[in-house]
């Protein structure tokens, strides 16, 4: 009888051990599957971060500056995959998780128009902005008179960015609010004065010429009838689409074939400069923190031409503007009178 009981007990124990063994095997199999899934998730996440970083490195124009930030140690505590080194000036509605416009993640062509604006020149600024908005431009107004509410009646006002600071010039605004990391998503930056007539200007055609000729810094030519023209180089050549130099043997500055600097070549004035992304990165660093009127800046911008200033800087003649010569910070344009000496000549007196 004891042998029978012993046999039954051994049989029961072996069955119990077999069940436990089967359960453990299933547990091991489940753990193996879970580990495989986790490894796959980690791999995909790492691969995604790597591709994202690779894409940012490919499209970012400022790899050196980004690298210097990491090497400085200030961001070492942040995982590289979540670092966002750039921004933009796109509006982000509260009721949406993304901009109402196309995301910059696809690197669509975008451009920026920045204008110092006083309420006295509301009509003129309105005419300028209406030229640019249909061509996929972001618009930012620098209100040097502090008056923002008076612009609310314009139908495009809510699409623009408004920044107000009393009695500050556009170079002050540009240094503080157009940092290269903020505007690096824009292909071209138009930093224009408010006193420009744009009846004969088309932004799309202008950029087509700029891109085809490789101009890093440019400006539209000035109509010869403009109120203020300081340099012959910026006057419109009626028979040309664009020009890179001017020839002038009069005066103290002789502009010839061998001239390599402003105001004969490699030169734009301060009222309507247009910068490529790379040129603006340089120009922003060129702007001194206490710069007010910007006098002398035009003579130095050639340093930011990203190469040969005689080739990469130009004036676009086919798309030209009228410089109305309004005084800084919203003064009135000078009164122009035409005086004629019979049988000799006529000239302007202000």
């Amino acid at each position: 009888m004891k042998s029978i009981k012993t046999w039954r007990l051994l049989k029961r124990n072996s069955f119990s051990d077999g069940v436990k063994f089967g359960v453990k095997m299933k547990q091991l199999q489940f753990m193996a599957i879970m580990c495989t899934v986790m490894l796959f998730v980690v791999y995909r996440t790492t691969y995604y971060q790597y591709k994202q970083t690779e894409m940012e490195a490919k499209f970012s124009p400022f790899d050196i500056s980004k690298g210097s930030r990491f090497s400085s140690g200030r961001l070492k505590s942040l995982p590289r995959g979540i670092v966002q080194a750039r921004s933009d000036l796109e509006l982000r509605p509260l009721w949406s998780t993304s901009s109402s416009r196309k995301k910059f993640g696809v690197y669509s062509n975008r451009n920026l128009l920045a204008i110092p604006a006083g309420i006295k020149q509301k009509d003129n600024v309105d005419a300028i902005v209406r030229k640019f908005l249909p061509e996929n431009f972001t618009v930012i107004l620098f209100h040097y008179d502090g008056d923002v509410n008076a612009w609310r009646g314009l139908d495009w006002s809510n699409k623009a960015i408004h920044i107000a600071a009393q009695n500050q010039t556009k170079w002050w605004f540009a240094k503080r609010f157009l940092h290269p990391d903020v505007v690096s998503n824009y292909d071209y930056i138009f930093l224009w004065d408010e006193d420009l007539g744009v009846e004969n200007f088309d932004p799309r055609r202008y950029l087509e010429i700029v891109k085809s000729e490789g101009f890093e810094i440019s400006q539209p030519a000035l109509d010869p009838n403009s109120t203020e023209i300081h340099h012959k180089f910026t006057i419109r050549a009626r028979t040309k689409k664009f020009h890179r130099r001017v020839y002038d043997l009069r005066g103290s500055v002789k502009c010839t074939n061998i001239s390599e600097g402003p105001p004969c070549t490699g030169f734009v004035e301060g009222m309507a400069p247009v910068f490529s992304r790379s040129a603006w990165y340089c120009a922003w660093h060129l702007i001194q923190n206490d710069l007010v009127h910007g006098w002398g800046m035009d003579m130095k911008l050639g340093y930011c031409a990203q190469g040969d200033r005689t080739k990469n800087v130009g004036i676009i003649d086919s798309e030209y503007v009228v410089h109305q010569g309004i005084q800084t910070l919203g003064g009135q344009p000078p009164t122009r009178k035409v005086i004629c000496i019979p049988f000799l000549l006529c000239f302007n007196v202000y």
Side-chain angles (χ1 to χ4, degrees):
M1 293 296 293
K2 286 184 178 181
S3 60
I4 295 175
K5 289 182 179 180
T6 302
W7 169 252
R8 289 178 178 176
L9 182 61
L10 290 173
K11 187 176 181 180
R12 188 182 306 161
N13 290 338
S14 62
F15 176 77
S16 177
D17 292 340
V19 172
K20 291 180 180 179
F21 179 77
V23 172
K24 288 183 179 180
M25 287 298 296
K26 289 182 179 180
Q27 290 177 343
L28 289 174
Q29 291 175 355
F30 177 76
M31 291 177 65
I33 294 172
M34 290 299 297
C35 288
T36 303
V37 172
M38 291 176 66
L39 287 172
F40 178 77
V41 171
V42 171
Y43 167 77
R44 292 299 299 175
T45 303
T46 304
Y47 179 77
Y48 173 79
Q49 292 178 348
Y50 169 76
K51 297 301 289 185
Q52 188 73 13
T53 303
E54 189 179 54
M55 184 181 297
E56 290 176 356
K58 179 180 179 181
F59 288 99
S60 173
F62 311 130
D63 292 331
I64 296 177
S65 65
K66 287 173 68 176
S68 63
R69 291 194 195 96
F70 279 101
S71 62
S72 68
R74 296 181 182 180
L75 299 180
K76 283 185 177 180
S77 61
L78 294 178
R80 184 176 178 85
I82 68 171
V83 171
Q84 182 64 51
R86 300 183 297 168
S87 184
D88 55 58
L89 293 170
E90 295 301 288
L91 300 176
R92 311 286 174 175
L94 289 174
W95 56 88
S96 176
T97 57
S98 62
S99 172
S100 58
R101 294 178 178 175
K102 201 173 184 181
K103 286 186 176 181
F104 272 125
V106 297
Y107 301 96
S108 58
N109 293 327
R110 295 287 304 166
N111 305 291
L112 175 67
L113 171 67
I115 308 178
I119 195 59
K120 292 180 181 179
Q121 304 306 322
K122 181 179 179 180
D123 292 340
N124 203 64
V125 173
D126 180 37
I128 296 173
V129 172
R130 291 185 185 280
K131 284 272 187 173
F132 282 83
L133 278 179
E135 301 300 330
N136 209 27
F137 273 76
T138 297
V139 176
I140 178 169
L141 299 186
F142 300 135
H143 297 279
Y144 55 76
D145 58 2
D147 191 347
V148 177
N149 290 330
W151 297 80
R152 301 300 184 193
L154 297 174
D155 55 5
W156 52 261
S157 180
N158 290 336
K159 301 176 183 177
I161 295 92
H162 300 266
I163 299 177
Q166 290 284 348
N167 298 325
Q168 303 303 310
T169 66
K170 75 175 181 182
W171 300 107
W172 183 92
F173 283 103
K175 185 66 174 180
R176 285 149 184 83
F177 300 105
L178 299 184
H179 188 279
D181 285 347
V182 175
V183 301
S184 63
N185 279 321
Y186 301 100
D187 294 332
Y188 291 92
I189 293 91
F190 287 62
L191 189 58
W192 281 19
D193 286 352
E194 61 184 338
D195 61 342
L196 301 175
V198 293
E199 182 179 352
N200 300 295
F201 180 83
D202 183 277
R204 179 180 54 80
R205 292 197 297 264
Y206 181 91
L207 286 176
E208 286 175 355
I209 298 172
V210 167
K211 293 176 182 178
S212 65
E213 296 302 321
F215 289 133
E216 297 287 340
I217 302 175
S218 62
Q219 78 160 77
L222 300 183
D223 189 300
N225 294 320
S226 296
T227 302
E228 281 191 4
I229 296 178
H230 302 113
H231 299 279
K232 184 179 179 180
F233 184 71
T234 59
I235 300 176
R236 180 193 177 209
R238 298 179 184 274
T239 60
K240 296 181 179 180
K241 184 181 292 186
F242 59 87
H243 65 268
R244 290 183 169 92
R245 62 169 58 245
V246 69
Y247 302 96
D248 190 1
L249 299 179
R250 298 170 297 176
S252 57
V253 179
K254 310 297 184 183
C255 294
T256 65
N257 286 328
I258 61 174
S259 300
E260 296 183 351
C264 301
T265 187
F267 173 74
V268 298
E269 286 196 73
M271 86 286 288
V274 178
F275 302 90
S276 70
R277 182 189 296 117
S278 299
W280 178 248
Y281 177 77
C282 171
W284 184 88
H285 286 84
L286 185 65
I287 301 172
Q288 302 301 300
N289 196 53
D290 59 351
L291 184 67
V292 180
H293 295 287
W295 294 331
M297 273 287 293
D298 49 5
M299 295 293 179
K300 304 301 180 184
L301 289 177
Y303 287 116
C304 296
Q306 308 301 298
D308 187 348
R309 70 173 66 187
T310 65
K311 296 179 179 178
N312 296 347
V313 180
I315 305 295
I316 311 303
D317 295 297
S318 60
E319 303 302 320
Y320 59 98
V321 297
V322 176
H323 187 208
Q324 300 169 1
I326 297 173
Q327 298 175 5
T328 303
L329 301 182
Q332 296 299 322
T335 302
R336 180 171 65 178
K337 297 180 180 179
V338 179
I339 297 179
C340 294
I341 301 175
F343 306 108
L344 291 178
L345 55 86
C346 296
F347 55 91
N348 297 320
V349 176
Y350 299 96

